[in-house]
Amino acid sequence: MTLVIPFFIGVKNPENSLEKKQSFCPLKMATGFPCPSCGITKSLVYTYKGSFEKAIGFHAYGPLVIAFCLFIIVLFSVELKTKKSYFKTYFYNKKIAYFLAITLMIYHTVRLVYFVKDHSWNEIKKESIWE
């Protein structure tokens, strides 16, 4: 579903129509501030369209998500065919999980700083349900 839904959103919507559309994120609707995954769907859509600059502008992890999902599909296909497990130690590694979590927290903190810097309080409030 991670790969399919953004593909069909991209097919259905014209080139720049997603840039101004409101997010369905409950946290953003409640507070006006983006959550750590806000923008990932738009990033996936623009990655499919080949607009990597826009994709990274919405969320830097978008192209990485597509690459990871495609890698997993190929890996699981090979594992089913060969009946062997190749990367099990990496998928259940706490150090890698902590590294990814800390990286996402740092990225989100930087995004929040720039978000507050680039938007007035009235603009932030307007993005929430309270306006």
Side-chain angles (χ1 to χ4, degrees), residues 83-102:
K83 295 183 172 47
K84 293 181 182 178
S85 180
Y86 294 101
F87 291 101
K88 188 176 183 178
T89 56
Y90 296 109
F91 288 134
Y92 298 104
N93 189 320
K94 284 185 181 180
K95 289 180 182 178
I96 293 173
Y98 288 139
F99 171 77
L100 292 172
I102 290 169

Side-chain angles (χ1 to χ4, degrees), residues 29-32 125 127-131:
M29 286 181 183
T31 65
K125 196 169 117 180
E127 301 242 351
S128 72
I129 59 175
W130 306 110
E131 182 64 22

